[in-house]
């Protein structure tokens, strides 16, 4: 047997975790198809007319996918250089959560509602976004959101405080007879209104209540501008920072478009965007 | 006969496809009027009180417009230097789609629902946007959207994943008795909520369901900021890039307003904005 | 009589049209109070319980205000250096429209619905925004909107084309039995959905219709980003342009905050922002 | 007794108002827990099923918290260097408002609706946002909003004028028989529509009314872009201004990320962000 154990492990690792080899790409595509098919099965099973007729077939297919994903999970554990690190990672947890509910439903048939947790399988799709070119843009978006995290926390604290106050006041103004049965229900109304969703299941009836509602809407309408402003300003900075990073190897000009392949001044080829190492700035941050 | 065949073809081409000659402008205006009139006929035909009384008249007018557009389409095919290229182009397909449904309804009277495809005629209006000065701004918007396409794909994938998860959970929490009859129906609710549309035809009734709804709204409210941030940052870059392109022929200063006709420093006339060639950057891109 | 006719005219002009003298300010404040009071009368008259009891009193007060505004209008005409230019100006038309409906209702009592046109009086409030410091910011907002006008026209044309197509398709898919009684009604639904208003008075019932609705929402959700991006980018440019205009008289540094009174580097006083003449750029534009 | 009165006062001040000592942090955390618990009591008391059973227990706990907050308020007054300044400050008023309603309800049992004013206690949470690192970002957001205040006032005046006109017109078009019972009610509808909330409790029924509604929606949809543009442009400027302020003590380079701890060029430690004094720019402003 020419393939040593370690060699097999590495080969499996390259196929399952890697994206650059041909086998790795085929594996990724097969996995995506499997995820989408299993999600379709889950969705079909929730439609009464279909589940009534095909209940058994759907369950059998689901068992098949769970078996497949279990084998995949065990293989990932096996070929991972640090199995415990994989198991604790974001994707490791998602991979486990994608298979566990089926086993739980088999063990405890009464807990059939847990089957819906399989919907979290859809998060495995995020892996695709990690593929090739999308990685960079995805990181840029994430960095912008992280860079703005404190402003976003302040924003949401302000929204939370506003809906608590507005909800409490509308509760006293309108009262249970107009559908504002309790403060939590009224806070729910305030969230529905301030986010401009406006279901219309609970609406103020009194003139004063309508005044508070109008105020809530205008507040929501205008503070919507704040997160947008935050993200835009961060993203703008992030994009400028990124442009400054890529330099032409010939004339060392920077400031190229994020998807430029050639220097816009001298025309020499820029480093491949997938190989460019974007310096991780997290060390500098606290 | 002094007009040779080739000459006629070219003259027709200048009139039909061009926008700079007087005849070309008259043709464009006549076409716009014809498109709007035929759309009005289509819309009027859908109003019960009108279609009941004028059914035959509306059909005859529609036949007239279809005949006109058919002649136009054949002429475009005839005078186009490369007829097959025109037929396969975006506008070629739209021009064909604008006339085909009427013939199909004549052939298969039962397929009367296909008549609505004529509404796609409205897309021919996009041709107007190609006229003169609007071209540049239209291109700038398109380039911004294209430049941001990967970030937009990532954003919509994230939204798709979110609504799948939120829809599945609300389906289990609320269940068919509160209108969440299946997972697709619940995903539809999640889209209605996350986009802040909020029809109110299906609303959560339980406390836990309202909590998930509030979370969905706040998520939708805040992630709305992300595409705005993306487009704004791209557009800003695009506008700066554009300003740098136009240079004063006298003092060679750049950075003029996009609609400036004279250099803001020395006052000499800038090149006509319609004749300025904006370098196509798509070659540089992948 | 020491006051000549010309002198009186000029003094009236300074009081009525000007804002810098004490008498001018008192006149402006009195006018604002009169406008708001007359609007309150209009609003009160529309509330059934109040109009039933105070109908005559309200009408008499309204006659009083109309008389006042008529005197004001005639005085403006009289003291204006060019009466015809004033009468044709935006504010001249608004001033006339603010008094005309009352006379029309007196002449033709059956046309009482015209009384509501008096609501346009509220537009006279725009005059306040012209006062002192707000002028500059108001101009900056207007210039940004004007600078972006072509992009905004392209955007709204695209929205108009989209709602026509989406409305026509949903009309065929859902049909009159689900409330989509005609194409105009369905286009109205498409506008309600694409703007994320979502009344919920007409909602799709079929699965295919819900799919089209979800697409419409996501389209509306994402293209909302486009006008925001346009305005933000224009406003940003406008603010930068403005900052470049104000120079320190001592060290000639530019780039000051829009409300800075002193040079941020040498501390010398900047020109009074109300006296700074912002060069009108419209001559340069086409 | 080694602790002098002044010393005790100062020690209490450091604990209650300060955030840097260990005792101060413990006090802050205890206060936050107390605020949230008392809010939970208020919310629980509004749920019929809970208040019916636990009415007395909830009232007793509320009395306990009011006693605690009263002691805290008096201690703040005592240890504050200028008690009257504290009592008149924003947080002084909030602290008083947080305890007053309970006493008022004890004195005048009929005024039980005033109990809801206790919901304003949630505003004390803003104190947390003042803690450490969040201070800077919170100030940046506030400065952006203040810097844009005139543009925001112009924007809201325009919205107020628009909804008055649109509301008055829809009142005449639709009339009381379609739910538009008065002009205030119609203005309320216009606000619901222009902010894209869209409850759907009052909707236009006539074709003309639907046209006005569609116009209102599109107006709301597009002018939503204006405040976003204003805030984004201000925030962008604010962030750039901030970056220019922090200089590396070694190579005096500026333009560091807002959360950088080390100079990005020479790596020397930057001044602690909490100790950096951001120059107060309000003196320069008018």
């Amino acid at each position: 047997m020419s393939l040593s154990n370690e060699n097999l492990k590495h080969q499996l690792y390259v196929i399952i975790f890697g994206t650059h080899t041909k086998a790795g790409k085929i594996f990724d595509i097969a996995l995506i198809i499997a995820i989408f098919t299993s999600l379709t099965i889950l969705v079909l099973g929730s439609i009464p007319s279909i589940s009534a007729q095909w209940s058994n077939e759907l369950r059998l297919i689901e068992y098949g996918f769970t078996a497949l994903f279990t084998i995949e999970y065990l293989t990932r554990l096996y070929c991972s250089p640090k199995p415990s690190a994989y198991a604790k990672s974001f994707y490791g947890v998602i991979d486990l959560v994608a298979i566990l509910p089926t086993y739980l439903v088999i063990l405890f048939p009464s807990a059939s509602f847990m089957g819906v947790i399989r919907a979290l399988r859809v998060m495995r799709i995020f892996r695709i976004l990690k593929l090739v070119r999308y990685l960079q843009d995805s990181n840029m978006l994430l960095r912008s959101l992280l860079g703005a995290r404190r402003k976003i926390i302040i924003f949401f604290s302000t929204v939370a405080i506003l809906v608590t106050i507005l909800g409490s006041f509308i509760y006293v103004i309108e009262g249970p007879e107009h559908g504002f049965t309790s403060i939590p229900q009224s806070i729910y109304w305030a969230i529905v209104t301030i986010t401009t969703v406006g279901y219309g299941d609970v609406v103020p009836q009194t003139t004063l209540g309508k005044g508070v509602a109008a105020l809530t809407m205008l507040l929501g309408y205008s503070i919507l501008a704040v997160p947008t402003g935050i993200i835009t300003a961060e993203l703008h900075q992030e994009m400028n920072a990124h442009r400054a990073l890529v330099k032409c190897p010939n004339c060392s000009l920077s400031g190229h478009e994020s998807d430029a392949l050639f220097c816009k001044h001298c025309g020499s080829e820029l480093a491949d965007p997938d190989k460019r190492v974007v310096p991780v700035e997290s060390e500098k941050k606290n």
Side-chain angles (χ1 to χ4, degrees), chain A:
Chain A
M1 194 173 155
S2 64
L3 262 170
S4 80
N5 205 19
E6 270 312 299
N7 216 334
L8 172 71
K9 236 171 146 170
H10 182 73
Q11 285 234 339
L12 277 171
Y13 181 79
V14 166
I15 292 170
I16 297 183
F17 284 94
T19 56
H20 287 292
T21 61
K22 215 192 154 185
K25 275 173 188 165
I26 291 168
F27 177 82
D28 280 339
I29 290 162
L31 189 60
I32 290 162
I33 293 168
I35 292 167
F36 275 114
T37 318
S38 77
L39 279 170
T40 310
I41 297 299
L42 178 69
V43 164
L44 289 176
S46 79
I47 302 169
S49 60
I50 290 172
S51 74
Q53 211 181 336
W54 305 94
S55 178
N56 283 324
E57 287 83 348
L58 290 173
R59 198 165 60 237
L60 284 177
I61 299 172
E62 171 53 33
Y63 287 169
F65 276 115
T66 303
L68 262 177
F69 290 146
T70 309
I71 293 166
E72 184 217 341
Y73 181 69
L74 294 175
T75 317
R76 278 184 193 267
L77 269 184
Y78 169 72
C79 73
S80 181
K82 269 189 162 183
S84 67
Y86 161 70
K88 284 175 198 158
S89 73
F90 175 71
Y91 285 112
V93 171
I94 289 295
D95 290 349
L96 186 62
V97 158
I99 51 173
L100 226 55
T102 314
Y103 291 112
L104 285 170
V105 174
I106 294 172
L107 290 173
F108 314 101
S110 63
S112 68
F113 64 88
M114 292 193 66
V116 84
I117 296 172
R118 282 172 290 165
L120 291 175
R121 265 177 205 167
V122 78
M123 294 185 83
R124 304 188 72 196
I125 303 298
F126 275 125
R127 271 220 180 83
I128 315 168
L129 299 180
K130 279 176 62 184
L131 297 179
V132 279
R133 316 200 143 267
Y134 288 85
L135 180 58
Q136 229 177 12
D137 289 275
S138 170
N139 277 350
M140 198 185 280
L141 283 174
L142 264 182
R143 271 207 306 276
S144 300
L145 287 172
L146 279 176
R149 67 190 174 288
R150 278 190 250 158
K151 291 195 198 72
I152 292 170
I153 291 171
I154 293 168
F155 174 74
F156 273 107
S157 307
T158 311
V159 169
I161 290 169
L162 278 175
V163 296
T164 308
I165 295 173
L166 290 164
S168 303
F169 277 93
I170 203 91
Y171 166 70
V172 170
I173 294 166
E174 293 283 328
E177 63 272 26
H178 294 150
F180 296 83
T181 50
S182 66
I183 290 185
Q185 165 74 17
S186 304
I187 290 174
Y188 170 71
W189 169 87
I191 293 172
V192 169
T193 303
I194 215 168
T195 56
T196 78
V197 170
Y199 281 141
D201 52 344
V202 183
V203 287
Q205 312 274 312
T206 66
T207 307
L208 188 56
K210 281 175 182 177
V212 173
L215 181 74
T216 311
M217 287 165 210
L218 290 171
L219 263 172
Y221 191 58
S222 48
I223 62 173
L224 184 52
V226 176
T228 307
I230 294 167
I231 306 264
T232 305
E234 282 290 335
L235 207 58
H236 197 80
Q237 229 167 39
E238 206 51 67
M239 278 166 79
N240 280 345
H242 176 78
R243 289 178 71 170
L245 283 174
V246 180
K247 272 185 184 156
C248 170
N250 184 36
C251 66
S252 72
L253 182 97
S254 66
H256 301 284
E257 303 272 313
S258 65
D259 50 0
L261 289 181
F262 295 94
C263 173
K264 61 181 173 183
H265 277 230
C266 70
S268 39
E269 196 165 6
L270 297 171
D272 186 302
D274 298 333
K275 289 174 194 151
R276 278 182 220 147
V277 182
V278 178
V280 181
E281 298 193 352
S282 54
E283 287 106 325
K284 295 185 197 163
K285 300 187 176 178
N286 51 314

